[in-house]
Amino acid sequence: MTVEVQKRPRYAIMNGILYPEMFSRKCFKEALDYKPQPEDVFIDTYPKCGSTWMQNVVLYIFRKGKELDHPTEFLRAAPFIDMLGMEGINSMPRPGAFKTHLPYSHLPYSSEAKYIFVARNPKDCCVSLFYHTRNKPGFRYWDGEFNEFFELFMAGQVEYNDYFDHLLDWYPHRNDPNVFYTRFEDLKKDMKSIVLKLSKFLGQEYIDAIEKDNSVLNNILQYSGFDYMKKKLSEVHDIQKGTRFAGPVFEGRNHCIKFAASLNPPDELPELQFVRKGIVGDWKNHFSPDQNVRLNKNMLEKMEGTEVLQWYPVD
């Protein structure tokens, strides 16, 4: 049964893409217009499908297992270019990787750059995106309800538009030579295997470093572990109050902080957890039987003829 939507998160639109209104339009346009350099690496996912987790993995592969001196270095070392634009791109230490949620058709593309795409079960994605949207003041959705958000998700009226359209945009390129394609669930099941394959994809020197020194692999796995990552990144993404942040001052980040403050959020808000649970199957704690049937129907229709229906069998 369809629920009437009474409240919507704050989004803006550019080039047909819904994106968080708290983002600087200038920075978002700079991300869209960026011309990749030959050695650039992009991590691209639909929101809440494992991009932050993959940022950590790639960062520590590039660093050959060397821990960051301070967690706030993460913002510069693995910049979210949709929010930060050219300031984030130009300040990133090389080698490094940019995070983006842009669909393939709008992505800064070069055959000489490398791209990492992570897919996730759409049901878990929907739940995670709801909490992300509700708990981040800049969306002004702190009193949002899951049943209404589910309707927005089904209609593709959430940030970066429809989940299935985003996935279908990427799907034909999953075997391109400059694309590394994996799933959130694979990271959960066997991160070691993903790290080894990804290291080889990123360059011979990274797989060589792992093979020569076992501590390199152990450190990458430790620093990319979910509990470690959640603890270390909590302050990096704390824009709720903007008072604890001690990292690089970016125009795009300041724009988000000021926009959120202008919405006059209540003093008591849900706890901001950019990295929340990271579990597989949490949707079963949120979906009604009817919602499950409706999303299954949507997935069967949109992903017909693709391997996605093998990745995520309807249940």
Side-chain angles (χ1 to χ4, degrees):
M1 182 179 68
T2 302
V3 174
E4 184 178 354
V5 175
Q6 302 288 339
K7 187 174 181 59
R8 296 172 182 268
R10 295 284 294 263
Y11 300 129
I13 189 166
M14 185 181 296
N15 290 17
I17 300 174
L18 287 173
Y19 68 97
E21 190 180 354
M22 71 184 97
F23 285 9
S24 158
R25 287 187 63 84
K26 171 179 174 290
C27 291
F28 191 72
K29 187 174 189 305
E30 288 173 349
L32 286 167
D33 293 344
Y34 177 60
K35 306 300 181 186
Q37 302 302 305
E39 300 302 318
D40 281 349
V41 177
F42 293 83
I43 297 167
D44 194 342
T45 77
Y46 190 78
K48 308 313 294 179
C49 286
S51 52
T52 303
W53 197 357
M54 183 56 79
Q55 281 176 281
N56 269 263
V57 174
V58 173
L59 172 63
Y60 283 110
I61 289 174
F62 279 143
R63 292 178 63 84
K64 299 174 183 175
K66 182 179 181 291
E67 189 176 16
L68 290 172
D69 293 330
H70 193 278
T72 53
E73 292 180 28
F74 179 84
L75 188 64
R76 190 184 301 278
F80 181 21
I81 62 171
D82 304 10
M83 181 178 77
L84 302 177
M86 287 305 300
E87 192 174 10
I89 291 169
N90 292 334
S91 66
M92 182 187 72
R94 306 287 180 135
F98 309 122
K99 166 184 165 181
T100 179
H101 294 315
L102 293 172
Y104 186 90
S105 55
H106 290 71
L107 185 72
Y109 182 79
S110 167
S111 60
E112 297 181 282
K114 293 181 178 180
Y115 299 85
I116 300 165
F117 185 82
V118 185
R120 188 182 188 184
N121 188 315
K123 299 174 187 178
D124 282 334
C125 171
C126 177
V127 170
S128 185
L129 187 57
F130 163 69
Y131 282 106
H132 171 78
T133 306
R134 189 197 69 176
N135 295 1
K136 218 166 186 178
F139 288 107
R140 210 200 177 286
Y141 200 67
W142 46 77
D143 52 355
E145 299 291 339
F146 176 74
N147 287 345
E148 289 190 23
F149 187 84
F150 175 83
E151 300 300 335
L152 296 174
F153 186 85
M154 287 288 291
Q157 296 174 7
V158 292
E159 55 180 307
Y160 296 90
N161 303 23
D162 184 80
Y163 165 96
F164 294 107
D165 290 347
H166 194 284
L167 183 53
L168 281 169
D169 206 18
W170 263 102
Y171 183 79
H173 305 281
R174 67 196 184 284
N175 295 319
D176 289 358
N178 64 336
V179 172
F180 183 91
Y181 204 86
T182 191
R183 302 182 308 156
F184 181 95
E185 295 77 13
D186 296 327
L187 279 168
K188 288 288 293 184
K189 183 178 180 180
D190 189 0
M191 189 193 289
K192 179 179 177 181
S193 175
I194 299 298
V195 168
L196 293 173
K197 293 175 185 176
L198 186 54
S199 298
K200 188 175 294 186
F201 172 77
L202 291 172
Q204 190 62 41
E205 71 173 283
Y206 305 111
I207 192 66
D208 286 348
I210 287 174
E211 292 176 347
K212 289 176 182 176
D213 185 352
N214 194 52
S215 68
V216 172
L217 177 59
N218 290 338
N219 286 347
I220 293 170
L221 295 176
Q222 177 187 345
Y223 299 145
S224 300
F226 192 82
D227 291 340
Y228 177 93
M229 179 179 68
K230 182 173 182 177
K231 177 182 176 183
K232 292 293 184 179
L233 292 185
S234 60
E235 68 176 281
V236 178
H237 294 284
D238 183 10
I239 63 171
Q240 182 169 336
K241 295 181 180 178
T243 56
R244 297 188 332 186
F245 182 65
V249 178
F250 286 117
E251 171 190 351
R253 186 175 180 85
N254 282 338
H255 190 279
C256 289
I257 293 171
K258 291 177 181 177
F259 183 88
S262 74
L263 300 178
N264 297 314
D267 293 334
E268 297 298 325
L269 283 173
E271 181 184 359
L272 180 64
Q273 293 181 318
F274 195 87
V275 177
R276 197 174 64 92
K277 287 186 177 180
I279 63 175
V280 174
D282 191 36
W283 67 269
K284 295 176 183 178
N285 299 318
H286 296 77
F287 275 43
S288 69
D290 178 69
Q291 288 170 339
N292 188 41
V293 168
R294 289 175 57 201
L295 197 143
N296 283 346
K297 182 175 182 291
N298 198 16
M299 180 159 63
L300 286 169
E301 291 174 352
K302 290 216 167 190
M303 307 312 294
E304 183 180 6
T306 72
E307 296 175 12
V308 175
L309 296 179
Q310 299 173 31
W311 301 349
Y312 306 120
V314 296
D315 56 359

